Amino acid sequence: MHVFVTGGSGLTGPAVVTELIAAGHTVTGLARSDAAAARLESLGATPHRGSLEDLDSLRAGAEAADAVLHMAFGGDFSDLADMTRRDRTAIEALGAVLVGSGKPFVSTSGTLVMPAGRESTERDEPDAAGLAAFRIAGERACLDFAGQGVRASVVRLAPTVHGPGDHGFIAWLVDTARKSGQSAYVGDGTNRWPAVHRLDARSSSGWPWRALRRAACCTRPPRTCRSGASRRRSGTGSACPWSR
């Protein structure tokens, strides 16, 4: 299978590209810079120059593929409306050339679209007033193609996708604990925070291609980390609770 991938040179993308190639697939990855193109080539993928704003480039990549995996998302977080527009427009461009083909189209979103304060599954509707409600439009744009002859699905990644080289939330917590000798957590440490290692996230991105129906799936549901327990295992022997 030949797969067109956006976001293949990001944090999670290289792990997904590597697994696809190891499974015998060929990969073409969207590259908006020389650095991204070089990264894709080092993984064994073929760079396809373009960006999320270059809709003709997206259409060309999707037309030449047997399947499409859309992981790219970014922009200025001070302008969520523009980020939403860019993502939705890109998804609509990718999906439009797949209409009637029966080809798989997987787009990524985040579990923070779900209602807060309880565990959620794929059967729950996203929360339009939630923290990541700006990702819902992209989900719906992808899943709408399921009624147009496309094997469309959405993978909701945990808010923290971590691993070597990560500079995000989990890495910051671990680094702070190692430097201070204390692991901090909220209250008694029983609060839950969804997290997934990038190697687990890459596996979750592949299985929806075998699905024949409209679907949204969440990575590793409903497993979450209890912050007190996980942070006590982050390399320190003491813990310091945060006040609520």
Side-chain angles (χ1 to χ4, degrees), residues 10 14 42 71 89 129 149 152 164 177-178 202 210 213-214 223 237:
S42 73
M71 295 184 290
T89 303
R178 287 174 174 168
R202 72 180 183 181
R210 297 186 290 273
R213 60 182 178 82
R214 176 183 185 274
R223 294 173 59 187

Side-chain angles (χ1 to χ4, degrees), residues 45-58:
T46 301
H48 176 84
R49 297 307 291 259
S51 67
L52 294 185
E53 291 86 357
D54 186 352
L55 302 185
D56 287 339
S57 177
L58 294 178

Side-chain angles (χ1 to χ4, degrees), residues 59-198:
R59 294 186 189 103
E63 283 176 341
D66 300 310
V68 174
L69 173 57
H70 173 57
M71 295 184 290
F73 187 86
D76 184 357
F77 275 86
S78 67
D79 190 351
L80 293 179
D82 184 62
M83 292 178 68
T84 300
R85 177 197 59 77
R86 291 171 68 245
D87 187 48
R88 185 191 68 249
T89 303
I91 290 170
E92 289 172 347
L94 291 166
V97 300
L98 303 177
V99 169
S101 69
K103 294 180 180 180
F105 180 22
V106 181
S107 182
T108 56
S109 180
T111 58
L112 287 183
V113 302
M114 305 308 291
R118 63 178 177 82
E119 294 180 347
S120 298
T121 72
E122 295 86 345
R123 296 181 181 181
D124 295 312
E125 289 295 320
D127 182 5
L131 182 63
F134 59 92
R135 299 300 304 267
I136 297 175
E139 287 193 3
R140 290 176 175 166
C142 177
L143 295 177
D144 282 348
F145 285 109
Q148 303 176 57
V150 181
R151 292 164 58 188
S153 58
V154 172
V155 175
R156 293 179 180 133
L157 295 172
T160 300
V161 180
H162 56 92
D166 176 25
H167 300 288
F169 183 57
I170 295 296
W172 176 79
L173 287 174
V174 172
D175 184 59
T176 300
R178 287 174 174 168
K179 289 179 178 178
S180 67
Q182 292 186 326
S183 296
Y185 55 86
V186 178
D188 62 2
T190 57
N191 61 303
R192 294 177 180 268
W193 179 265
V196 62
H197 193 279
R198 72 184 63 166

